[in-house]
Amino acid sequence: MELLYHFCILHDYMRLDNALQEILKISRSQASQWIESNLVKMNEKNTKKSQILKKGSCIEIYTIKNTSKAINTDELIQGLDIEVIYENSDYLILNKPRNLVVHHAPSVKGVTLTDYLSAKNYELSTINGEMRFGIVHRLDKDTSGAILVAKNNASHLRFAEMLQNRTMGRIYICVINKALQHNTFVECYMGRNPNNRLKMAKLDKEKYPFARDSKSEFRKIMESKNGVFELIGVRLFSGRTHQIRVHLSTLQRYIYGDMLYSPENLKSTYKTKMLLHAQLLYFDGNVFSAKIPKDLLKFLNENFINYESKLEAFLSQWQDELRKIARN
């Protein structure tokens, strides 16, 4: 391991994770992840996130050196076609294909995006530990689109701060089963569904203190030619797991192909995977766009009349709005 930070506390804190969040301007989940990975020492000893800090306590934060060796590249990239949207010395923006997990977890057995990056010999940030080299934010396995990867720890921390203060974000497009009545926002507390561990849900904060705030904006783009479906745009103001799907379910709307959240009578009608795509990624006044995957394009061509011009106008309008927000 390599030393990333060393500092001494100037006043008391009730919890270590709260202290790191405040001092380093990172998310509390990021701080907890470091602590649980034994990357944080207090007075040269491992500690826990609920540890009380006294004035004068010395904190050391370490990072794992990226020593992973590239695995069999030919075998790894077989069937993978990952578009590079933009790249410089600090970060990489990719168009993640559907059915690709971003990073390893105990339940993941297949190839991941981090495997792909390792095979390509990218220099990546090490802040999130060896299973998540470079990963600043994630996309669900079934979601395609723009994803940002940090090449060094300095840029990773900068992007983590942007996510925390919500100056970096994503715009998604998706096809839903029934048109929205109007453009709308959904804001609620979310957490693991107490009745189904595979799902997330809207929760009562008083009953479930672990629930976290979430907010999404939904905008209408156009209805399908038979009036059954609607293409919509979604802006995330937070990045909770399954956020778009949970928020849509509160409106009794479901993404076409979503086999987890849709009611049974809709599942039998699906003829493709979930049609959810992270179209735009924005930060620092820049807006990056990810090409729409073939299966979503096919569905749009079959079910929507002249969608190209309406979608182009919609995305252009939103890009203009995002650039104005960044200037202000």
Side-chain angles (χ1 to χ4, degrees):
M1 295 194 299
E2 296 179 344
L3 183 63
L4 183 63
Y5 292 108
H6 179 273
F7 53 89
C8 293
I9 302 299
L10 299 180
H11 57 83
D12 296 346
Y13 285 92
M14 291 301 296
R15 291 177 60 99
L16 174 59
D17 53 358
N18 287 340
L20 297 184
Q21 179 184 18
E22 179 181 322
I23 294 168
L24 300 178
K25 307 299 182 185
I26 60 175
S27 67
R28 185 171 172 181
S29 61
Q30 173 73 79
S32 297
Q33 188 178 95
W34 286 351
I35 297 165
E36 291 167 358
S37 299
N38 293 324
L39 297 177
V40 180
K41 294 184 183 294
M42 186 175 76
N43 299 328
E44 300 183 345
K45 294 181 180 180
N46 289 337
T47 184
K48 54 186 179 180
K49 59 186 179 182
S50 59
Q51 178 68 49
I52 297 174
L53 276 71
K54 296 295 184 181
K55 179 180 177 180
S57 298
C58 290
I59 304 297
E60 294 177 339
I61 302 176
Y62 292 85
T63 182
I64 301 172
K65 188 176 181 180
N66 187 355
T67 57
S68 58
K69 295 181 180 179
I71 59 180
N72 189 320
T73 303
D74 292 337
E75 179 181 349
L76 174 65
I77 64 174
Q78 184 178 4
L80 285 182
D81 181 19
I82 302 183
E83 172 199 5
V84 176
I85 299 172
Y86 181 82
E87 180 179 5
N88 63 20
S89 59
D90 290 323
Y91 60 88
L92 174 73
I93 299 175
L94 300 174
N95 187 358
K96 186 188 85 68
R98 187 174 288 110
N99 295 326
L100 179 65
V101 177
V102 171
H103 57 71
H104 282 286
S107 60
V108 175
K109 295 180 173 58
V111 166
T112 67
L113 179 63
T114 52
D115 290 329
Y116 177 87
L117 294 168
S118 177
K120 290 290 188 177
N121 294 316
Y122 282 107
E123 289 292 328
L124 303 170
S125 69
T126 58
I127 284 174
N128 274 344
E130 60 185 336
M131 290 197 300
R132 302 186 182 190
F133 284 138
I135 302 303
V136 177
H137 67 96
R138 56 185 291 277
L139 292 175
D140 292 337
K141 176 183 178 181
D142 295 331
T143 305
S144 60
I147 185 168
L148 184 143
V149 178
K151 289 187 174 182
N152 53 64
N153 290 340
S155 62
H156 192 133
L157 287 172
R158 187 169 72 89
F159 288 126
E161 182 177 354
M162 288 183 185
L163 284 174
Q164 179 71 11
N165 60 31
R166 299 179 180 177
T167 56
M168 180 173 83
R170 287 147 286 168
I171 303 293
Y172 292 74
I173 60 170
C174 62
V175 175
I176 58 175
N177 66 303
K178 183 181 177 182
L180 296 171
Q181 293 182 353
H182 47 73
N183 295 342
T184 187
F185 289 85
V186 174
E187 192 167 4
C188 65
Y189 289 102
M190 282 181 55
R192 187 67 59 183
N193 188 319
N195 301 313
N196 185 339
R197 300 300 295 173
L198 296 177
K199 300 170 69 174
M200 308 298 284
K202 175 183 177 181
L203 298 177
D204 183 334
K205 181 69 170 178
E206 292 186 4
K207 187 176 180 180
Y208 299 97
F210 58 82
R212 303 175 69 187
D213 66 299
S214 63
K215 182 180 179 181
S216 302
E217 178 185 5
F218 297 93
R219 293 191 190 181
K220 300 163 65 70
I221 301 177
M222 67 178 300
E223 294 185 34
S224 61
K225 56 189 177 184
N226 60 6
V228 175
F229 312 113
E230 184 174 38
L231 177 65
I232 65 170
V234 188
R235 180 185 178 189
L236 296 187
F237 293 84
S238 53
R240 310 305 177 209
T241 301
H242 297 178
Q243 178 174 316
I244 295 174
R245 300 154 79 181
V246 170
H247 284 184
L248 281 171
S249 70
T250 68
L251 303 172
Q252 291 77 53
R253 302 296 191 275
Y254 305 93
I255 300 173
Y256 188 90
D258 184 357
M259 298 298 289
L260 183 58
Y261 287 88
S262 299
E264 292 301 322
N265 65 308
L266 289 179
K267 292 178 183 178
S268 61
T269 68
Y270 294 153
K271 297 179 174 59
T272 184
K273 300 285 187 180
M274 186 171 68
L275 300 180
L276 175 63
H277 179 64
Q279 180 75 58
L280 304 178
L281 174 71
Y282 62 90
F283 59 88
D284 283 349
N286 300 309
V287 183
F288 302 92
S289 181
K291 291 179 182 177
I292 300 174
K294 293 179 180 179
D295 55 350
L296 177 52
L297 283 176
K298 182 175 184 292
F299 190 91
L300 294 176
N301 280 314
E302 292 175 349
N303 294 279
F304 293 79
I305 299 173
N306 299 324
Y307 72 89
E308 295 96 338
S309 58
K310 288 193 176 182
L311 178 57
E312 182 179 355
F314 171 83
L315 294 174
S316 178
Q317 177 185 356
W318 218 328
Q319 289 183 60
D320 289 342
E321 289 182 28
L322 294 171
R323 292 191 176 103
K324 288 179 182 177
I325 292 171
R327 285 197 296 269
N328 295 329

